[in-house]
Amino acid sequence: MTTSTRAARAGLLGAHLDLLAEALLPYRAAEPLLARWGTDLAGILVGGGRLLVAGNGGSAAEAQHLTAELVGRLRDDRQPLSAIALHAETSALTAIGNDYGYDEVFARQVRAHGRPGDVLLLMSTSGTSGNLLAAVAAAREVGLRCWAFTGPGPNPLAGACHEALAVASPDSQVVQELHLVSTHVLCEYVDRALPTALAALAGQAAAVAAGRRDGTGRVDAPGRPVDDRSVVPADGPAAGDRSVVPAAAGGPPVRAGVEVVVDGTDPSAEGRRGGTA
């Protein structure tokens, strides 16, 4: 290897690390969001819910990495958790693309596999992919909570989802690298929240059993936590609505339409919400 070649490679590495370092400081603000997502996701998954994930290209690989950590394990052994990478179902993907067009490859699978209260997590460096935007529209129809890992905001995907973690870097490679960090941290928080989620589920089951024994009337069946904020009206909340949406009679309010962007930008101030989905 010549000196000039080594210098060129060192220069490329240095430039890349400089971009990564610039993105790390604002990225630290993502921890509260990842902690809350992990806690919510633990309750949803142990209660019988499901995580659907999708992306294109490198983001598809990142999405599949996330589902592998949940169905398998991150560090310690635990029960498998239901997570599906929609792009990995190649026969369905190509059949849908052939019959309905590529923009529908994820949306149709969301309608098939998603149930009210499930979570759809989409990954994109640009936030402009048509098939991901179509998936969000389908998810809102079904009643899923929509999250996204994206590049810098504002972008259409972050605006269409209920919440988004937007990495403040102009370099798509850096964005994907921090999406991988986000995946690992999210799974760590899921694992940390599992004991509490399982205890809550056991308490609900015990309450149902007690209600049946003493005949006191209807008791909420075990499953997803009663206060799970992932429940979204079937037609989805209004694109710009950050208010509390009433839940079913007797239940707690359901908060919808919240969006968090890592770089601190208020998306509502820039007219991001309510974009094409």
Side-chain angles (χ1 to χ4, degrees):
M1 181 185 298
T2 66
T3 301
S4 60
T5 301
R6 288 178 178 174
R9 291 191 176 182
L12 288 174
L13 176 60
H16 189 100
L17 291 177
D18 286 345
L19 286 169
L20 183 58
E22 290 173 5
L24 284 175
L25 185 59
Y27 175 74
R28 287 181 178 274
E31 178 148 17
L33 177 65
L34 291 169
R36 177 164 55 78
W37 281 7
T39 300
D40 289 352
L41 192 57
I44 292 166
L45 296 180
V46 301
R50 177 177 292 164
L51 174 68
L52 305 180
V53 192
N56 295 290
S59 294
E62 301 253 2
Q64 202 162 341
H65 188 132
L66 171 57
T67 58
E69 304 286 21
L70 293 173
V71 178
R73 68 175 184 177
L74 184 65
R75 295 184 187 276
D76 302 322
D77 193 22
R78 53 147 168 77
Q79 71 180 77
L81 302 171
S82 181
I84 300 174
L86 301 179
H87 59 274
E89 185 61 58
T90 56
S91 293
L93 188 80
T94 53
I96 296 167
N98 186 64
D99 294 344
Y100 299 96
Y102 195 69
D103 278 357
E104 288 295 310
V105 294
F106 301 137
R108 191 167 179 83
Q109 292 188 75
V110 167
R111 294 186 181 96
H113 301 304
R115 300 293 182 269
D118 287 347
V119 174
L120 174 67
L121 174 57
L122 301 170
M123 300 187 182
S124 172
T125 59
S126 68
T128 61
S129 301
N131 55 7
L132 300 183
L133 294 170
V136 173
R140 284 181 173 274
E141 292 172 7
V142 176
L144 276 68
R145 187 193 301 191
C146 303
W147 296 341
F149 289 169
T150 75
N155 63 74
L157 182 60
C161 289
H162 295 104
E163 296 186 284
L165 189 161
V167 176
S169 173
D171 188 273
S172 61
Q173 296 173 31
V174 170
V175 171
Q176 287 185 341
E177 287 157 6
L178 291 182
H179 284 179
L180 179 57
V181 174
S182 301
T183 288
H184 286 152
V185 174
L186 176 63
C187 290
E188 291 264 18
Y189 274 113
V190 168
D191 283 359
R192 181 179 294 185
L194 279 176
T196 300
L198 288 167
L201 186 65
Q204 290 178 21
V208 170
R212 288 171 178 167
R213 285 195 301 270
D214 61 24
T216 56
R218 180 184 177 278
V219 180
D220 288 314
R224 302 174 198 189
V226 173
D227 63 347
D228 177 18
R229 291 173 292 167
S230 70
V231 179
V232 180
D235 58 353
D241 184 12
R242 294 175 180 237
S243 62
V244 175
V245 179
V254 178
R255 188 167 298 279
V258 181
E259 181 178 349
V260 176
V261 178
V262 173
D263 63 9
T265 302
D266 181 0
S268 65
E270 300 184 41
R272 295 173 57 192
R273 301 200 61 82
T276 301

